[in-house]
Amino acid sequence: MPGLSGPRSAHCKGFPSAGSGRWRWLPITLRIAAIVVGGYFAAAGLASLAAVALPAAGWLGRADALVLSAMLAFLAYLVIALWLTAERSLVRACVVPSAIAIGAFGLAHLIAPASATGGVLP
Amino acid sequence: MTGPTFRESMNWLHTWAGVVIGALLFAIFWMGSLSVFDREIDRWMMPMTRVPLPAEPARLDTMMASIGKLIEGTNTPRWFAVMPVDRATVIQVYYRDKSGNSQRRHIDPAAGAVLPDQGTMGGTSFIFPFHFGLHLRAYDIGEWLVGLAGMTMLALCVSGVVIHKRIFADFFLLRIGKTQRTSLDLHNVAGVLGLPFHFIITLSGLIIFINTYWPSTFAISYGAEKRLFNQEAYGNFSRPAAKIDANSPPVSLDLLAAKAVEIWNGGQPGVVSLFNPGDASSYVSMSRSNEDRVTKASDPVYFDLATGAVLSQHKSSSIIATERFISGMHFIQFRHWTLRWIYFVLGLAGCVIIATGFLFWLESRRKRHARLGLAGVRVVEGLTIGSVSGIIIATAAFLVVNRILPLGIAGRASVEFWTFYAVWVLTFAHAWYRPNKQAWAEQCLAIATLFISAVSLNAATTGDHLLRSLTHAYLWGVAGVDILLLIGAGVAIMVARRLGATPMYVEATPGVAREGTPHA
């Protein structure tokens, strides 16, 4: 295995952003936080947006939209988490899910009143 | 400098997520596999409920009279009764006692008489809730941990496929002899074979708890009107108590059941609930039994108890029906013995994947950690032994103590409960205290001893030994538990003997250790 020598590097193989020195725990902590917490809120934000946007657009009833979004949210979380693991830039891995979460929750809150009235469909 | 490739980062994820979450995941898979037979475990642990299903089961009105006596003096806002099926031939009743605690009692399906408290949580109240909530109820912390483990399992399934270079070729590869290779080959074979099941069972398990795991989505969509969601999605109906005693005798539950059967085109009632008992606004809900179909949809019909009028009835929309079907696939309340056994075997295959994953992690690091003086292998090994053989010992102890404690002593169920945890803690202590090989071997012998004791105690205390239980169809559930315990004991003895007879860890050169392995 070229380019990998010594036990540390062998065991950090695949570690997306290995740090060094005093702060070497920081990148890994940030990365795990991005995957677990950032990924979760990004998925929750997208699900919330879909749960209010679908009824607001008149495509689905409120309960149907909510259950469909919540079911798909697990798959969204999975895809986002895997991407955050593979993403080479730690900055992007932290910023993008936060931006998705803030943007999606913000939009969802704006749309929510419209969805509550559009909730009962024939 | 280039970063790691996609496959390398998936390898990193698979290795470390597996080691960190593996112990929790094993507990969930173990308890989930046992939950496939939770009703049978109930019969095993509650000997008085081992009764044949009568040809002519007790009328619902007889049952209601028995329950009326049972709840006398309590303020229970509701009781519900689960109708008998061949896996659980007694009627199960749930209500709140004088102190407001949830209680469960069983009713003889032939005579309608309430059986004494069985003094155990059994399979349905200990093993099954452990599977999804770890009995950590504060802030739903148990459910959240299980959710985290579930999401991790999905990530492990995907990353496992990505890092596996030769899925087809490795399918025919099982190198027995060296722990490291055997465990990797077993991990791969069981992993690939079980992959569709493990992915779907995990995802469906998560989907059952959508309202726990996505509270913000529920909050933004329905706000504080949770009840409205349950009404729109599942047809839940409720009305407050009138606070006046009922002034007319209740209509016959059997008549209401007949009406419900008509509405369901022949479907049978599975759960009968009665709300506000004794009150003028008392009402009944009938949920359709799902013994004959996969879905968990209950198509509830609500009746006014004073007049018998239908208050509400419900049929799921297509999306809700999809969600109920997915949940039903996970719950397997339908009647299908072949599928039930397949669920059980594939569930145990999940346990094997997790355990062999741990073994591979340990064996590929053992020498290097010893050379560098790192504690990793020692710590993970203790964790592995305690969480794999340890939880099996604790489960066995739970069964054994159930057959030792006499019925009727105070706090019997909680003695069983705490025995499980005390024994589990002891197995971790033992695993860290003893050298690895002895720890595994001794715990395997403990499993065998306890399993055989459980079978013997069942025969001694109930008289339902295998000769008897196998020749009476209504005791087959009990026989099944006994047989699985004996098979388990046999496997445990084999493993213990093998560990005693051969050196478990063959010295391998680093080059050999890495050959053909996806893990670095």
Side-chain angles (χ1 to χ4, degrees), chain A residues 11 14 40 48 62-64 74, chain B residues 8 213 217 221 317 365 368:
Chain A
H11 269 260
Y40 172 80
S48 304
R62 190 152 60 134
D64 284 346
F74 294 110
Chain B
E8 282 168 345
Y213 295 141
T217 307
S221 181
S317 72
R365 281 160 186 78
R368 202 171 45 78

Side-chain angles (χ1 to χ4, degrees), chain B residues 126 188 214 225 261 366 402 515:
Chain B
F126 181 78
N188 291 344
W214 307 108
E225 312 161 292
V261 169
R366 185 179 302 281
N402 170 271
E515 182 200 354

Side-chain angles (χ1 to χ4, degrees), chain B residues 199-481:
Chain B
F199 192 88
I200 296 293
I201 203 73
T202 308
L203 183 59
S204 57
L206 289 165
I207 283 175
I208 290 167
F209 288 96
I210 42 177
N211 62 354
T212 302
Y213 295 141
W214 307 108
S216 54
T217 307
F218 275 72
I220 215 162
S221 181
Y222 275 87
E225 312 161 292
K226 261 236 156 124
R227 176 170 288 181
L228 189 60
F229 167 74
N230 285 324
Q231 184 193 320
E232 288 179 11
Y234 304 120
N236 288 15
F237 167 91
S238 72
R239 70 177 186 195
K243 310 272 183 207
I244 318 166
D245 284 350
N247 49 12
S248 59
V251 289
S252 156
L253 279 191
D254 290 292
L255 277 180
L256 298 184
K259 266 197 213 179
V261 169
E262 210 171 292
I263 289 171
W264 295 322
N265 293 322
Q268 294 298 311
V271 179
V272 176
S273 313
L274 194 145
F275 300 82
N276 311 331
D279 186 271
S281 90
S282 187
Y283 60 101
V284 177
S285 92
M286 302 256 171
S287 298
R288 190 192 187 287
S289 158
N290 291 320
E291 243 214 325
D292 58 343
R293 53 181 201 174
V294 174
T295 179
K296 252 305 231 182
S298 58
D299 302 346
V301 185
Y302 289 81
F303 298 98
D304 189 295
L305 193 61
T307 64
V310 174
L311 297 169
S312 156
Q313 67 182 80
H314 181 81
K315 203 114 182 82
S316 307
S317 72
S318 57
I319 287 175
I320 306 296
T322 308
E323 183 264 332
R324 293 283 83 194
F325 183 89
I326 294 171
S327 301
M329 278 197 311
H330 194 100
F331 277 110
I332 39 166
Q333 292 308 299
F334 48 87
R335 181 193 180 123
H336 198 304
W337 284 102
T338 316
L339 270 177
R340 189 167 291 282
W341 278 99
I342 291 174
Y343 270 67
F344 179 70
V345 169
L346 285 172
L348 288 186
C351 296
V352 169
I353 296 169
I354 298 159
T356 50
F358 266 125
L359 290 181
F360 182 75
W361 189 95
L362 290 167
E363 293 326 309
S364 49
R365 281 160 186 78
R366 185 179 302 281
K367 288 185 70 185
R368 202 171 45 78
H369 280 204
R371 194 174 69 234
L372 298 172
L374 295 174
V377 162
R378 197 71 205 102
V379 171
V380 173
E381 186 143 61
L383 187 73
T384 307
I385 298 172
S387 56
V388 174
S389 51
I391 199 170
I392 303 177
I393 294 176
T395 310
F398 181 66
L399 294 178
V400 167
V401 79
N402 170 271
R403 291 291 83 233
I404 292 175
L405 293 175
L407 196 59
I409 59 168
R412 189 180 186 281
S414 50
V415 174
E416 286 180 14
F417 182 90
W418 289 110
T419 300
F420 175 91
Y421 287 100
V423 170
W424 200 12
V425 168
L426 282 177
T427 64
F428 277 103
H430 173 260
W432 272 304
Y433 178 70
R434 298 285 288 160
N436 63 72
K437 210 172 108 179
Q438 280 92 328
W440 278 115
E442 286 161 9
Q443 296 214 357
C444 283
L445 286 177
I447 292 171
T449 312
L450 287 168
F451 277 9
I452 293 170
S453 313
V455 175
S456 319
L457 282 166
N458 176 45
T461 56
T462 70
D464 294 335
H465 50 76
L466 273 172
L467 280 179
R468 185 178 143 72
S469 56
L470 279 173
T471 48
H472 292 77
Y474 76 95
L475 290 173
W476 283 354
V478 177
V481 175

Side-chain angles (χ1 to χ4, degrees), chain B residues 18-35:
Chain B
V19 164
V20 172
I21 302 293
L24 179 59
L25 212 48
F26 187 94
I28 297 166
F29 263 84
W30 170 248
M31 290 300 185
S33 307
L34 296 184
S35 296

